[in-house]
Amino acid sequence: MKVLVIGGGAREHALCRSLSLDPDVTALHCAPGNAGIAEVAELHPVDQLDGAAVAALATELGADLVVVGPEAPLVAGVADAVRAAGIPVFGPSREAAQLEGSKAFAKDVMAGAGVPTARSYVCTTPKEIDEALDAFGAPYVVKDDGLAAGKGVVVTDDVEQARAHALACDRVVIEEYLDGPEVSLFAITDGTTVLPLQPAQDFKRALDGDEGPNTGGMGAYSPLPWADPNLVGEVLETVLQPTVDELRRRGTPFSGLLYAGLAITGRGVRVIEFNARFGDPETQVVLARLKTPLAGVLLNSANGTLDDQAPLSWSDEAAVTVVVASHNYPDTPRTGDPIEGLDEVAEKDAPHAYVLHAGTKRSEDGAVLSAGGRVLSVTATGSDLTQARERAYAAVGRIRLDGSQHRTDIARKAAEA
């Protein structure tokens, strides 16, 4: 099978790493990729938001499967263009991807499907914003209706900060605050059958102790030793399957990766948000634990044959990923700094720990440079979370990137519980 992956972050590196280990994959391509992905896949320049260009590249390569990683190409309809070219694609249509592209659309789908979520208001005027903020009170949860790369949500006790964020958005969803721990649960679906993966937890705040601004994610771990063993089954029954059924009923079937961001509240499981693709950095730990070869599962989703898929096989090991971010992330990050120590990690920590590249590029002289806010996802497995954490942080300690930052408490509480 020839596979083309679209994207260039750590999620795509994790996907490419898993696909490169699949014996059924005979050729692996990625566009545009990054310096790390180049070690496992052949890179191609492409505008990942240009459906015609992506479809043309897939046709030229003779791809048997295209995997669209990021949300922006999905919302832009790239999967539709590839499907129209007759090539199987893992990823939802433009219409179905509105589940992530519009918070208001997602709320409407959840209402139709009877999926438990936070009460909310969709606001477009200052008057509506003030009324919604007054109705819910602190803590205020304000979400940009559109895509914002994980940074469109503000949760604050400061009403002025909440109002300022709301006024900066064209359309905004203001909702009640959901207490309790958060869980990310991915499911692969072909529009009918829903195949849940193992749950993970990510860390959105920039600093230890969940302080600082929201980011795209600073680390993650799986499994969740504190979670109810029936959690996946309950979420499949009350959230994932009803959502897929509702979208099919509306004539916008969703095939690809359905990501449910959940809060385990005192009143039960509630959906915080849906995404239409693998989450970053949770993908890094979920795929580290998946033993079933990946390509066939994604192809079954693309072809509508997921009911033929054998049950997934999972490692009993734990996985932890720690994000190394550049100076000043998540504000305006500094880029172009050399990254050292990657060879040391490969030499001393493999196979239990490895580095997945997010924002990296190669200079003309072959050095690996930072090229984004989140630069690396250092991922490790171990017999339990304690060992996986130790291995991940030992590898992080070998990496040298001027001004870089990372959290030191990823999975600590869960490991100590």
Side-chain angles (χ1 to χ4, degrees):
M1 196 191 305
K2 292 181 183 174
V3 183
L4 169 62
V5 177
I6 302 302
R11 160 188 48 223
E12 287 76 34
H13 194 176
L15 286 163
C16 285
R17 179 181 182 272
S18 290
L19 290 165
S20 73
L21 298 172
D22 185 333
D24 287 339
V25 175
T26 52
L28 182 59
H29 302 270
C30 186
N34 62 39
I37 295 173
E39 295 172 13
V40 294
E42 184 179 341
L43 302 191
H44 304 270
V46 78
D47 176 355
Q48 57 184 1
L49 298 180
D50 184 338
V54 172
L57 175 62
T59 302
E60 180 191 329
L61 294 173
D64 301 301
L65 173 68
V66 175
V67 179
V68 183
E71 60 274 23
L74 292 167
V75 172
V78 166
D80 302 271
V82 177
R83 275 194 194 94
I87 300 169
V89 58
F90 181 80
S93 66
R94 180 204 301 261
E95 285 191 349
Q98 284 303 305
L99 200 62
E100 177 169 6
S102 167
K103 306 285 190 301
F105 176 79
K107 287 288 186 185
D108 190 56
V109 170
M110 283 188 266
V115 167
T117 186
R119 292 180 300 121
S120 64
Y121 295 103
V122 179
C123 307
T124 55
T125 67
K127 182 172 184 285
E128 289 173 346
I129 287 166
D130 287 341
E131 287 174 354
L133 292 172
D134 288 345
F136 288 128
Y140 303 98
V141 181
V142 183
K143 299 180 174 181
D144 190 334
D145 181 55
L147 293 180
K151 304 185 199 74
V153 179
V154 164
V155 181
T156 179
D157 289 321
D158 182 343
V159 70
E160 291 308 322
Q161 185 186 359
R163 183 179 287 114
H165 182 64
L167 290 170
C169 304
D170 288 335
R171 185 158 80 148
V172 69
V173 175
I174 296 173
E175 63 184 37
E176 68 175 325
Y177 176 75
L178 296 175
D179 63 328
E182 295 185 12
V183 173
S184 300
L185 185 61
F186 302 161
I188 292 171
T189 178
D190 59 5
T192 303
T193 301
V194 182
L195 192 64
L197 307 185
Q198 289 289 302
Q201 186 174 59
D202 80 330
F203 294 77
K204 285 282 185 232
R205 300 283 188 167
L207 307 175
D208 283 10
D210 292 327
E211 299 288 332
N214 257 356
T215 71
M218 294 299 290
Y221 69 93
S222 179
L224 312 180
W226 49 267
D228 184 327
N230 299 318
L231 175 66
V232 173
E234 180 191 340
V235 174
L236 175 62
E237 188 178 326
T238 62
V239 173
L240 299 169
Q241 191 71 57
T243 299
V244 169
D245 291 346
E246 173 68 11
L247 284 163
R248 189 177 65 253
R249 186 187 69 76
R250 290 174 176 227
T252 53
F254 186 106
S255 78
L257 195 291
L258 178 60
Y259 164 144
L262 309 164
I264 314 300
T265 75
R267 294 172 294 148
V269 174
R270 297 287 185 274
V271 175
I272 301 169
E273 65 175 356
F274 283 124
N275 290 332
R277 39 71 196 180
F278 279 103
D280 185 340
E282 301 98 320
T283 301
Q284 289 85 302
V285 292
V286 172
L287 292 186
R289 299 186 56 228
L290 179 65
K291 290 165 71 175
T292 302
L294 184 61
V297 186
L298 303 186
L299 188 63
N300 278 333
S301 163
N303 286 336
T305 52
L306 209 51
D307 57 343
D308 297 336
Q309 175 67 46
L312 299 179
S313 174
W314 295 93
S315 165
D316 291 331
E317 288 198 317
V320 171
T321 194
V322 179
V323 170
V324 177
S326 53
H327 177 71
N328 207 37
Y329 178 75
D331 293 325
T332 308
R334 193 174 79 206
T335 59
D337 289 313
I339 304 164
E340 298 176 338
L342 297 173
D343 292 342
E344 270 180 70
V345 175
E347 188 183 313
K348 297 178 179 174
D349 300 297
H352 304 297
Y354 48 90
V355 179
L356 298 168
H357 292 230
T360 67
K361 65 178 182 183
R362 282 207 184 267
S363 65
E364 288 182 9
D365 64 0
V368 178
L369 306 177
S370 62
R374 292 187 296 172
V375 182
L376 305 169
S377 282
V378 181
T379 305
T381 55
S383 58
D384 55 20
L385 285 174
T386 299
Q387 187 178 50
R389 282 189 85 245
E390 287 170 356
R391 287 171 169 173
Y393 280 107
V396 169
R398 301 191 204 282
I399 292 166
R400 297 176 294 284
L401 171 61
D402 187 48
S404 69
Q405 54 175 314
H406 65 271
R407 283 184 57 160
T408 66
D409 63 346
I410 302 301
R412 181 192 288 153
K413 275 187 190 171
E416 291 171 351

